[in-house]
Amino acid sequence: SRAYSLVDSSQVSTFLISILLIVYGSFRSLNMDFENQDKEKDNSSTAGSFNGNSTNNSIQTIDSTQALFLPIGASVSLLVMFFFFDSVQVVFTICTAVLATIAFAFLLLPMCQYLTRPCSPQNKISFGCCGRFTAAELLSFSLSVMLVLIWVLTGHWLLMDALAMGLCVAMIAFVRLPSLKVSCLLLSGLLIYDVFWVFFSAYIFNSNVMVKVATQPADNPLDVLSRKLHLGPNVGRDVPRLSLPGKLVFPSSTGSHFSMLGIGDIVMPGLLLCFVLRYDNYKKQANSDSCGTPGPGNISGRMQKVSYFHCTLIGYFVGLLTATVASRIHRAAQPALLYLVPFTLLPLLTMAYLKGDLRRMWSEPFHSKSSSSRFLEV
């Protein structure tokens, strides 16, 4: 009851939305893998050869070096935003709006494909040097541009949340963790990054750098443009300042405060959940190919049926709940990754060890050892 009293409706909304975004982004990523496999099969059958290393160029895989330096790069970006926000806020707002437009179009694409399927064939329309696009892609991009324009004009928090959701899903779908080792390096480094900038930055910079950057609104580009062009006092001056879509915010039932969760606290654990979902599917296919070979003899059949994805997702929920309760008890911002990383990584490592998959998951579990022999057979 004590924990329940420390969680209000805004935090419940944050829980549900963040979990739905992670699940949806993970399954979009898995679906992209299936589509790439189908394309590879079609290409191999038509070309008469097999290329086991062909991948989608739009997918970015994080290696160990990138995982180690990502917290450092994030720290530099945070300091730039802290010290030079007034100078770069317009550029940063425009870049964020462009990225959010593309990401939200990606979020809307399945719905638009469903709506346009009965009306038009999935043929691509040429736009010259801009490329070729289907009717669903054009519709999703048009709706996304319209939403971004309304957000710029109104600055409403709900539209900002929609753009942040698109960014979360796109990052989870297009960024991959290749192994458990890279996952541990990345999440451990980001945990240190989060703890330092939330708890210790005030001792050095006399201000909580993370909270100030996350909550500082930016000047509206329309207002800046009207002042630069001297369009008059009534042109573009009534637009609000913009809170950038780097977080999810939900108002409380009383409207006295907002519950806030950074998209990094959704995306980074979401990359881990995407990895374990892909591994669950990989292991399922491997077991079906080997005619259902049983796991280690010291593990019960019930334990073998528990998927890594469900285990890690439950850990994410418990970690998010713990972070929320801690923030209400201490009445201060908490580094969410301080709770999310242990509650997701430790159960995953324990289950992988008990199932006997830890060695395989630790280093390049999706690398096909038989690719070379298969190439020779073809």
Side-chain angles (χ1 to χ4, degrees):
S1 60
R2 171 69 173 169
Y4 178 78
S5 65
L6 292 173
V7 179
D8 59 21
S9 59
S10 63
Q11 284 145 354
V12 172
S13 301
T14 305
F15 290 169
L16 296 178
I17 294 298
S18 61
I19 290 175
L20 287 175
L21 289 175
I22 288 176
V23 172
Y24 180 67
S26 299
F27 278 94
R28 284 291 296 272
S29 175
L30 188 63
N31 186 59
M32 290 169 62
D33 282 348
F34 290 151
E35 292 177 353
N36 291 335
Q37 290 175 5
D38 292 339
K39 290 179 181 178
E40 289 175 4
K41 290 179 181 179
D42 293 339
N43 293 336
S44 63
S45 61
T46 56
S49 61
F50 176 79
N51 182 10
N53 296 323
S54 60
T55 57
N56 193 334
N57 293 329
S58 60
I59 295 175
Q60 175 65 41
T61 301
I62 299 177
D63 57 24
S64 299
T65 304
Q66 292 171 331
L68 287 172
F69 282 96
L70 185 60
I72 299 175
S75 299
V76 173
S77 301
L78 197 66
L79 285 176
V80 170
M81 293 296 296
F82 179 72
F83 286 113
F84 307 106
F85 185 78
D86 292 337
S87 302
V88 301
Q89 58 178 326
V90 176
V91 176
F92 190 75
T93 302
I94 294 174
C95 293
T96 303
V98 172
L99 291 175
T101 302
I102 299 172
F104 194 73
F106 175 76
L107 180 65
L108 293 177
L109 184 58
M111 181 191 71
C112 294
Q113 288 174 336
Y114 177 78
L115 293 176
T116 59
R117 186 178 294 113
C119 303
S120 64
Q122 297 300 313
N123 296 327
K124 292 190 175 183
I125 304 172
S126 177
F127 283 84
C129 60
C130 296
R132 299 171 60 85
F133 306 95
T134 63
E137 291 171 343
L138 295 175
L139 177 60
S140 65
F141 184 75
S142 301
L143 293 175
S144 181
V145 170
M146 186 183 304
L147 184 135
V148 171
L149 291 177
I150 297 174
W151 167 67
V152 171
L153 292 173
T154 63
H156 198 278
W157 65 268
L158 193 58
L159 300 179
M160 184 198 70
D161 279 357
L163 298 178
M165 292 175 194
L167 288 171
C168 288
V169 172
M171 292 176 69
I172 293 174
F174 285 100
V175 180
R176 304 291 171 82
L177 295 174
S179 65
L180 189 56
K181 179 181 70 174
V182 175
S183 303
C184 291
L185 287 174
L186 178 64
L187 291 176
S188 299
L190 290 173
L191 185 152
I192 298 172
Y193 155 85
D194 209 16
V195 169
F196 173 79
W197 289 111
V198 173
F199 283 157
F200 301 105
S201 61
Y203 296 104
I204 302 174
F205 303 99
N206 296 321
S207 177
N208 191 318
V209 176
M210 181 74 77
V211 174
K212 184 175 180 180
V213 171
T215 58
Q216 189 170 5
D219 288 340
N220 197 302
L222 295 180
D223 183 26
V224 175
L225 184 63
S226 67
R227 284 190 275 110
K228 294 291 184 181
L229 299 179
H230 305 286
L231 298 179
N234 297 324
V235 180
R237 298 298 178 88
D238 56 346
V239 292
R241 301 190 75 191
L242 297 177
S243 183
L244 300 181
K247 54 191 175 295
L248 292 179
V249 296
F250 289 94
S252 63
S253 56
T254 60
S256 59
H257 67 278
F258 278 78
S259 173
M260 183 177 67
L261 182 67
I263 64 172
D265 302 323
I266 301 173
V267 171
M268 296 308 164
L271 295 179
L272 178 66
L273 278 133
C274 179
F275 165 75
V276 296
L277 178 64
R278 293 169 58 223
Y279 184 80
D280 284 332
N281 179 73
Y282 169 81
K283 187 177 179 182
K284 182 179 179 181
Q285 290 181 345
N287 289 339
S288 63
D289 292 341
S290 60
C291 301
T293 302
N298 58 338
I299 303 298
S300 64
R302 181 176 300 178
M303 181 68 174
Q304 287 291 337
K305 292 180 181 179
V306 178
S307 69
Y308 292 110
F309 181 76
H310 293 141
C311 173
T312 312
L313 186 62
I314 293 172
Y316 177 82
F317 175 79
V318 175
L320 195 59
L321 178 63
T322 306
T324 302
V325 172
S327 67
R328 296 296 295 272
I329 291 176
H330 298 288
R331 298 185 180 277
Q334 296 290 309
L337 292 180
L338 175 63
Y339 307 93
L340 295 175
V341 172
F343 277 103
T344 52
L345 272 183
L346 293 181
L348 173 60
L349 291 171
T350 303
M351 177 173 285
Y353 175 77
L354 293 176
K355 285 188 173 185
D357 293 330
L358 183 58
R359 185 185 299 273
R360 185 189 305 173
M361 294 178 70
W362 186 255
S363 179
E364 302 293 337
F366 307 113
H367 180 69
S368 178
K369 296 181 179 180
S370 59
S371 60
S372 60
S373 62
R374 186 174 178 180
F375 177 82
L376 290 175
E377 288 175 3
V378 172

